[in-house]
Amino acid sequence: MLCAVYKSPKKAETYLFVERRDDFSRVPAPLMDTFGTPQLAMMFNLASKARLGISDIDKVRAALKTQGYFLQLPPPPENLLKEHLARQAAERGSK
C-alpha cells in the first residue's frame, strides 16, 4: 500500500497521510482548511514498513483503509513543572 505524506505549513509537526499522491478527496474540508496547503514530505510503501517514527503503523493502515487519510499530530509538550512537583511530593512522602 503506497502512501503519500504531507506536511502542514500552518501547524508545526503535523502530517497528513493519504492513499494517493495529491488525492485529498476523502479528507474533510474543515481539516484541509486548518491544515493549509499540503506540502509533499515523502512517499513510501506501508507494506514494506514494520513501524513508523511516532504513529502506530497499524492505526495508519486502518485509517487509510476506512477513512482515506490519517492525521499525525505532534506529541503533547512535556509538563516539566508537573513532573517536578510530583517528584518533590514523592520525595516528601518517602521521608
Side-chain angles (χ1 to χ4, degrees):
M1 168 190 282
L2 281 177
C3 173
V5 183
Y6 293 85
K7 178 181 178 181
S8 171
K10 290 183 172 182
K11 304 284 184 180
E13 298 181 55
T14 302
Y15 295 89
L16 182 64
F17 293 63
V18 292
E19 295 175 291
R20 286 179 220 85
R21 184 177 181 160
D22 298 332
D23 182 3
F24 305 102
S25 60
R26 295 180 66 191
V27 182
L31 173 57
M32 290 303 297
D33 291 341
T34 303
F35 192 82
T37 304
Q39 299 172 344
L40 183 64
M42 69 180 86
M43 289 189 68
F44 59 89
N45 188 343
L46 275 175
S48 66
K49 295 277 187 182
R51 64 184 201 91
L52 296 174
I54 294 176
S55 297
D56 180 318
I57 195 163
D58 293 326
K59 289 181 182 179
V60 173
R61 287 182 184 133
L64 287 174
K65 286 180 185 174
T66 60
Q67 62 188 25
Y69 70 94
F70 176 82
L71 182 64
Q72 177 181 295
L73 299 172
E78 291 181 75
N79 188 336
L80 298 177
L81 177 59
K82 183 178 178 181
E83 289 176 25
H84 174 71
L85 294 174
R87 221 175 298 123
Q88 282 185 328
E91 289 173 3
R92 278 185 292 221
S94 65
K95 290 182 180 180

